[in-house]
Amino acid sequence: MPTSDIGLEKTLAALGVTEAAQVVARFAEVRAQFDGQFQTVHDESEWKIFRDAWLGRKSGVLTLVTDNWLKPAMPELKRVVGQQLNELRAHVESQIEARRLAVESGAEEAALTRDRIDLSLPGVLRPIGSHHLIRQVFQKIEDIFFSIGFSVVEGPEIETPYYNFEALNIPEFHPVRDDMDTFYLELPKGATTPLLLRTHTSPMQIRTMEKQKPPVRVIVPGKVYRRDNPDATHSFAFHQIEGLAVDTDITFCDFTGTIEYFVKQFFGPSVKTRFRPSYFPFTEPSVEFDVSCPFCAGTGTAASGGTCSKCKGAAWIELFGAGMVDPAVYGHVNYDAKKVSGFAFGIGIDRLAMLKYGIDDIQVFFQNDVRFLRQFP
Ligand code: PHE
């Protein structure tokens, strides 16, 4: 920190100062130099050098002024030199102290800016995804059946023809196999039992009854596979929920009452149900359940006045197949067909989801397009 050319090494006499006004001018010069240097002090290490240069006991500017200017001053100038020196010292000391405070708080501020954590910023949002609509519908249906005492079981997607067909009263060459005889697996050499992708969840009726004595009340959600060409309503893979209730005293009334309860829970209390005769080899009698169209309140006429596009004006929508368990099935699971009775149903989930949420193409369930999936968070 240079303090040059102001004659600090010399006495005032040597500098040719003989009058009070010259003394004052000299001190003004020193002070100007101080004020100039003062501007360049920004951090703590600069401040220390600056302080020592001005206040250092051995060779600080004020010491030099005292030793070289004040002490040897001519008696008539001593008073004014002393006065000037006091003023200079007061200025230097107060300014250096003020600078110290500024530098310290500046350093603190700089550290604060450097380490600042802004607690008001939102955290990092990680997208967590959501359940697929099919899974959501599964859960809705499971909740409804849980509430009336059913439990959930799951079974293999690769089945033997025995469970998928024979035990369900569908012998080889039975005509209903035509829609179902589909995805057989290539077997390892030496294996004798054919294997196929299950064509419905009904094999779990057999597997459940094999394991468990009556009473049985289960539902079976899962994937099933058929040789269907893909279009807006068909897919080679789709989803079903099987239901099975078997006990010693289950009647057709229990059956229709249960189905009606489920349908009203799922579509709302104002829908009506009806059943029509149908045929499945493993139920007798077999029925097809319909629901009054929830979109046109069972009128067949849309709110706009035209034909309801959901039920095509029929006022009813076909829902799913069901029936009382055929006594022939009990024979395969060691249940006494004279003592027990029960009902079974097989709900197509994709169809139900399409109906409920107004989806017109089953393929969207399998395409994993987030623009579709995000509509069902
Ligand atoms: N398994 C039948 C199907 O997939 C549906 C069904 C299940 C019918 C249970 C009656 C009883 O078509």
Side-chain angles (χ1 to χ4, degrees), residues 271-289:
V271 296
K272 293 193 189 70
T273 54
R274 73 174 185 188
F275 57 84
R276 294 170 287 115
S278 183
Y279 173 75
F280 299 100
F282 40 93
T283 46
E284 181 61 34
S286 300
V287 302
E288 204 69 52
F289 264 96

PDB file of all heavy atoms in Angstrom, residues 271-289:
ATOM      1  N   VAL A 271     -79.879 -48.252 -12.151  1.00  0.00           N
ATOM      2  CA  VAL A 271     -79.934 -49.229 -13.257  1.00  0.00           C
ATOM      3  C   VAL A 271     -80.749 -50.462 -12.850  1.00  0.00           C
ATOM      4  O   VAL A 271     -80.884 -50.785 -11.670  1.00  0.00           O
ATOM      5  CB  VAL A 271     -78.530 -49.678 -13.719  1.00  0.00           C
ATOM      6  CG1 VAL A 271     -77.749 -48.507 -14.291  1.00  0.00           C
ATOM      7  CG2 VAL A 271     -77.782 -50.361 -12.591  1.00  0.00           C
ATOM      8  N   LYS A 272     -81.293 -51.098 -13.881  1.00  0.00           N
ATOM      9  CA  LYS A 272     -82.036 -52.348 -13.646  1.00  0.00           C
ATOM     10  C   LYS A 272     -81.240 -53.482 -14.278  1.00  0.00           C
ATOM     11  O   LYS A 272     -80.441 -53.260 -15.187  1.00  0.00           O
ATOM     12  CB  LYS A 272     -83.404 -52.281 -14.317  1.00  0.00           C
ATOM     13  CG  LYS A 272     -84.341 -51.268 -13.720  1.00  0.00           C
ATOM     14  CD  LYS A 272     -85.760 -51.542 -14.273  1.00  0.00           C
ATOM     15  CE  LYS A 272     -86.726 -50.436 -13.896  1.00  0.00           C
ATOM     16  NZ  LYS A 272     -86.429 -49.172 -14.620  1.00  0.00           N
ATOM     17  N   THR A 273     -81.466 -54.687 -13.801  1.00  0.00           N
ATOM     18  CA  THR A 273     -80.815 -55.836 -14.439  1.00  0.00           C
ATOM     19  C   THR A 273     -81.881 -56.782 -14.962  1.00  0.00           C
ATOM     20  O   THR A 273     -83.025 -56.785 -14.491  1.00  0.00           O
ATOM     21  CB  THR A 273     -79.938 -56.614 -13.438  1.00  0.00           C
ATOM     22  OG1 THR A 273     -80.734 -56.966 -12.318  1.00  0.00           O
ATOM     23  CG2 THR A 273     -78.751 -55.784 -12.986  1.00  0.00           C
ATOM     24  N   ARG A 274     -81.471 -57.582 -15.937  1.00  0.00           N
ATOM     25  CA  ARG A 274     -82.362 -58.656 -16.386  1.00  0.00           C
ATOM     26  C   ARG A 274     -81.454 -59.784 -16.868  1.00  0.00           C
ATOM     27  O   ARG A 274     -80.267 -59.576 -17.112  1.00  0.00           O
ATOM     28  CB  ARG A 274     -83.289 -58.201 -17.519  1.00  0.00           C
ATOM     29  CG  ARG A 274     -82.582 -58.038 -18.839  1.00  0.00           C
ATOM     30  CD  ARG A 274     -83.545 -57.725 -19.980  1.00  0.00           C
ATOM     31  NE  ARG A 274     -82.818 -57.691 -21.249  1.00  0.00           N
ATOM     32  CZ  ARG A 274     -83.334 -57.299 -22.405  1.00  0.00           C
ATOM     33  NH1 ARG A 274     -84.601 -56.881 -22.455  1.00  0.00           N
ATOM     34  NH2 ARG A 274     -82.617 -57.315 -23.496  1.00  0.00           N
ATOM     35  N   PHE A 275     -82.021 -60.992 -16.928  1.00  0.00           N
ATOM     36  CA  PHE A 275     -81.204 -62.076 -17.485  1.00  0.00           C
ATOM     37  C   PHE A 275     -81.975 -62.803 -18.553  1.00  0.00           C
ATOM     38  O   PHE A 275     -83.211 -62.799 -18.564  1.00  0.00           O
ATOM     39  CB  PHE A 275     -80.702 -63.026 -16.396  1.00  0.00           C
ATOM     40  CG  PHE A 275     -81.786 -63.652 -15.575  1.00  0.00           C
ATOM     41  CD1 PHE A 275     -82.452 -64.802 -16.013  1.00  0.00           C
ATOM     42  CD2 PHE A 275     -82.137 -63.113 -14.340  1.00  0.00           C
ATOM     43  CE1 PHE A 275     -83.446 -65.382 -15.248  1.00  0.00           C
ATOM     44  CE2 PHE A 275     -83.133 -63.691 -13.572  1.00  0.00           C
ATOM     45  CZ  PHE A 275     -83.797 -64.824 -14.020  1.00  0.00           C
ATOM     46  N   ARG A 276     -81.200 -63.340 -19.489  1.00  0.00           N
ATOM     47  CA  ARG A 276     -81.792 -64.114 -20.589  1.00  0.00           C
ATOM     48  C   ARG A 276     -81.160 -65.489 -20.575  1.00  0.00           C
ATOM     49  O   ARG A 276     -79.994 -65.624 -20.163  1.00  0.00           O
ATOM     50  CB  ARG A 276     -81.464 -63.444 -21.929  1.00  0.00           C
ATOM     51  CG  ARG A 276     -82.118 -62.083 -22.105  1.00  0.00           C
ATOM     52  CD  ARG A 276     -81.563 -61.359 -23.326  1.00  0.00           C
ATOM     53  NE  ARG A 276     -80.222 -60.861 -23.106  1.00  0.00           N
ATOM     54  CZ  ARG A 276     -79.140 -61.280 -23.758  1.00  0.00           C
ATOM     55  NH1 ARG A 276     -79.234 -62.243 -24.661  1.00  0.00           N
ATOM     56  NH2 ARG A 276     -77.954 -60.769 -23.505  1.00  0.00           N
ATOM     57  N   PRO A 277     -81.873 -66.513 -21.024  1.00  0.00           N
ATOM     58  CA  PRO A 277     -81.278 -67.848 -21.053  1.00  0.00           C
ATOM     59  C   PRO A 277     -80.069 -67.875 -21.973  1.00  0.00           C
ATOM     60  O   PRO A 277     -80.033 -67.181 -22.985  1.00  0.00           O
ATOM     61  CB  PRO A 277     -82.391 -68.740 -21.604  1.00  0.00           C
ATOM     62  CG  PRO A 277     -83.539 -67.872 -21.901  1.00  0.00           C
ATOM     63  CD  PRO A 277     -83.232 -66.465 -21.530  1.00  0.00           C
ATOM     64  N   SER A 278     -79.089 -68.638 -21.588  1.00  0.00           N
ATOM     65  CA  SER A 278     -77.890 -68.747 -22.409  1.00  0.00           C
ATOM     66  C   SER A 278     -77.348 -70.158 -22.254  1.00  0.00           C
ATOM     67  O   SER A 278     -78.033 -71.027 -21.692  1.00  0.00           O
ATOM     68  CB  SER A 278     -76.870 -67.701 -21.944  1.00  0.00           C
ATOM     69  OG  SER A 278     -75.740 -67.743 -22.767  1.00  0.00           O
ATOM     70  N   TYR A 279     -76.119 -70.365 -22.693  1.00  0.00           N
ATOM     71  CA  TYR A 279     -75.558 -71.703 -22.544  1.00  0.00           C
ATOM     72  C   TYR A 279     -74.080 -71.669 -22.217  1.00  0.00           C
ATOM     73  O   TYR A 279     -73.295 -71.003 -22.902  1.00  0.00           O
ATOM     74  CB  TYR A 279     -75.751 -72.519 -23.834  1.00  0.00           C
ATOM     75  CG  TYR A 279     -75.034 -73.841 -23.741  1.00  0.00           C
ATOM     76  CD1 TYR A 279     -75.562 -74.881 -22.964  1.00  0.00           C
ATOM     77  CD2 TYR A 279     -73.799 -74.048 -24.364  1.00  0.00           C
ATOM     78  CE1 TYR A 279     -74.882 -76.081 -22.829  1.00  0.00           C
ATOM     79  CE2 TYR A 279     -73.114 -75.239 -24.229  1.00  0.00           C
ATOM     80  CZ  TYR A 279     -73.656 -76.256 -23.448  1.00  0.00           C
ATOM     81  OH  TYR A 279     -72.985 -77.422 -23.292  1.00  0.00           O
ATOM     82  N   PHE A 280     -73.707 -72.317 -21.144  1.00  0.00           N
ATOM     83  CA  PHE A 280     -72.302 -72.628 -20.860  1.00  0.00           C
ATOM     84  C   PHE A 280     -72.271 -74.064 -20.371  1.00  0.00           C
ATOM     85  O   PHE A 280     -73.160 -74.466 -19.613  1.00  0.00           O
ATOM     86  CB  PHE A 280     -71.729 -71.700 -19.789  1.00  0.00           C
ATOM     87  CG  PHE A 280     -71.758 -70.246 -20.176  1.00  0.00           C
ATOM     88  CD1 PHE A 280     -72.753 -69.412 -19.694  1.00  0.00           C
ATOM     89  CD2 PHE A 280     -70.788 -69.713 -21.034  1.00  0.00           C
ATOM     90  CE1 PHE A 280     -72.792 -68.070 -20.044  1.00  0.00           C
ATOM     91  CE2 PHE A 280     -70.834 -68.376 -21.393  1.00  0.00           C
ATOM     92  CZ  PHE A 280     -71.827 -67.547 -20.914  1.00  0.00           C
ATOM     93  N   PRO A 281     -71.278 -74.839 -20.787  1.00  0.00           N
ATOM     94  CA  PRO A 281     -71.262 -76.262 -20.400  1.00  0.00           C
ATOM     95  C   PRO A 281     -71.135 -76.464 -18.900  1.00  0.00           C
ATOM     96  O   PRO A 281     -71.505 -77.526 -18.397  1.00  0.00           O
ATOM     97  CB  PRO A 281     -70.027 -76.810 -21.123  1.00  0.00           C
ATOM     98  CG  PRO A 281     -69.715 -75.819 -22.196  1.00  0.00           C
ATOM     99  CD  PRO A 281     -70.177 -74.493 -21.695  1.00  0.00           C
ATOM    100  N   PHE A 282     -70.599 -75.476 -18.179  1.00  0.00           N
ATOM    101  CA  PHE A 282     -70.318 -75.668 -16.744  1.00  0.00           C
ATOM    102  C   PHE A 282     -71.336 -74.987 -15.843  1.00  0.00           C
ATOM    103  O   PHE A 282     -71.159 -74.934 -14.628  1.00  0.00           O
ATOM    104  CB  PHE A 282     -68.898 -75.199 -16.408  1.00  0.00           C
ATOM    105  CG  PHE A 282     -68.499 -73.927 -17.132  1.00  0.00           C
ATOM    106  CD1 PHE A 282     -68.684 -72.685 -16.539  1.00  0.00           C
ATOM    107  CD2 PHE A 282     -67.972 -73.985 -18.414  1.00  0.00           C
ATOM    108  CE1 PHE A 282     -68.335 -71.525 -17.212  1.00  0.00           C
ATOM    109  CE2 PHE A 282     -67.619 -72.820 -19.101  1.00  0.00           C
ATOM    110  CZ  PHE A 282     -67.796 -71.596 -18.509  1.00  0.00           C
ATOM    111  N   THR A 283     -72.398 -74.407 -16.423  1.00  0.00           N
ATOM    112  CA  THR A 283     -73.487 -73.874 -15.589  1.00  0.00           C
ATOM    113  C   THR A 283     -74.818 -74.385 -16.138  1.00  0.00           C
ATOM    114  O   THR A 283     -74.968 -74.614 -17.333  1.00  0.00           O
ATOM    115  CB  THR A 283     -73.502 -72.333 -15.598  1.00  0.00           C
ATOM    116  OG1 THR A 283     -73.354 -71.870 -16.923  1.00  0.00           O
ATOM    117  CG2 THR A 283     -72.386 -71.763 -14.736  1.00  0.00           C
ATOM    118  N   GLU A 284     -75.747 -74.557 -15.209  1.00  0.00           N
ATOM    119  CA  GLU A 284     -77.067 -75.031 -15.610  1.00  0.00           C
ATOM    120  C   GLU A 284     -78.092 -74.641 -14.551  1.00  0.00           C
ATOM    121  O   GLU A 284     -77.960 -75.113 -13.415  1.00  0.00           O
ATOM    122  CB  GLU A 284     -77.035 -76.558 -15.802  1.00  0.00           C
ATOM    123  CG  GLU A 284     -78.353 -77.146 -16.253  1.00  0.00           C
ATOM    124  CD  GLU A 284     -78.814 -76.601 -17.607  1.00  0.00           C
ATOM    125  OE1 GLU A 284     -77.935 -76.325 -18.455  1.00  0.00           O
ATOM    126  OE2 GLU A 284     -80.024 -76.424 -17.784  1.00  0.00           O
ATOM    127  N   PRO A 285     -79.053 -73.792 -14.778  1.00  0.00           N
ATOM    128  CA  PRO A 285     -79.195 -73.072 -16.046  1.00  0.00           C
ATOM    129  C   PRO A 285     -78.125 -71.995 -16.206  1.00  0.00           C
ATOM    130  O   PRO A 285     -77.533 -71.548 -15.229  1.00  0.00           O
ATOM    131  CB  PRO A 285     -80.578 -72.415 -15.898  1.00  0.00           C
ATOM    132  CG  PRO A 285     -80.745 -72.235 -14.425  1.00  0.00           C
ATOM    133  CD  PRO A 285     -80.074 -73.410 -13.795  1.00  0.00           C
ATOM    134  N   SER A 286     -77.919 -71.595 -17.481  1.00  0.00           N
ATOM    135  CA  SER A 286     -76.970 -70.525 -17.786  1.00  0.00           C
ATOM    136  C   SER A 286     -77.748 -69.283 -18.209  1.00  0.00           C
ATOM    137  O   SER A 286     -78.825 -69.400 -18.793  1.00  0.00           O
ATOM    138  CB  SER A 286     -76.049 -70.929 -18.932  1.00  0.00           C
ATOM    139  OG  SER A 286     -75.316 -72.087 -18.601  1.00  0.00           O
ATOM    140  N   VAL A 287     -77.201 -68.159 -17.870  1.00  0.00           N
ATOM    141  CA  VAL A 287     -77.882 -66.912 -18.253  1.00  0.00           C
ATOM    142  C   VAL A 287     -76.869 -65.905 -18.776  1.00  0.00           C
ATOM    143  O   VAL A 287     -75.665 -66.040 -18.573  1.00  0.00           O
ATOM    144  CB  VAL A 287     -78.640 -66.268 -17.067  1.00  0.00           C
ATOM    145  CG1 VAL A 287     -79.658 -67.219 -16.497  1.00  0.00           C
ATOM    146  CG2 VAL A 287     -77.663 -65.796 -16.001  1.00  0.00           C
ATOM    147  N   GLU A 288     -77.408 -64.901 -19.420  1.00  0.00           N
ATOM    148  CA  GLU A 288     -76.626 -63.747 -19.844  1.00  0.00           C
ATOM    149  C   GLU A 288     -77.251 -62.575 -19.104  1.00  0.00           C
ATOM    150  O   GLU A 288     -78.468 -62.381 -19.162  1.00  0.00           O
ATOM    151  CB  GLU A 288     -76.790 -63.600 -21.357  1.00  0.00           C
ATOM    152  CG  GLU A 288     -75.698 -62.876 -22.080  1.00  0.00           C
ATOM    153  CD  GLU A 288     -74.386 -63.652 -22.122  1.00  0.00           C
ATOM    154  OE1 GLU A 288     -74.380 -64.838 -22.541  1.00  0.00           O
ATOM    155  OE2 GLU A 288     -73.375 -63.057 -21.742  1.00  0.00           O
ATOM    156  N   PHE A 289     -76.447 -61.822 -18.345  1.00  0.00           N
ATOM    157  CA  PHE A 289     -76.984 -60.670 -17.619  1.00  0.00           C
ATOM    158  C   PHE A 289     -76.911 -59.416 -18.474  1.00  0.00           C
ATOM    159  O   PHE A 289     -75.903 -59.147 -19.121  1.00  0.00           O
ATOM    160  CB  PHE A 289     -76.239 -60.444 -16.308  1.00  0.00           C
ATOM    161  CG  PHE A 289     -76.944 -61.079 -15.160  1.00  0.00           C
ATOM    162  CD1 PHE A 289     -76.564 -62.344 -14.731  1.00  0.00           C
ATOM    163  CD2 PHE A 289     -78.007 -60.440 -14.544  1.00  0.00           C
ATOM    164  CE1 PHE A 289     -77.233 -62.947 -13.680  1.00  0.00           C
ATOM    165  CE2 PHE A 289     -78.681 -61.044 -13.484  1.00  0.00           C
ATOM    166  CZ  PHE A 289     -78.293 -62.304 -13.060  1.00  0.00           C
TER     167      PHE A 289
END
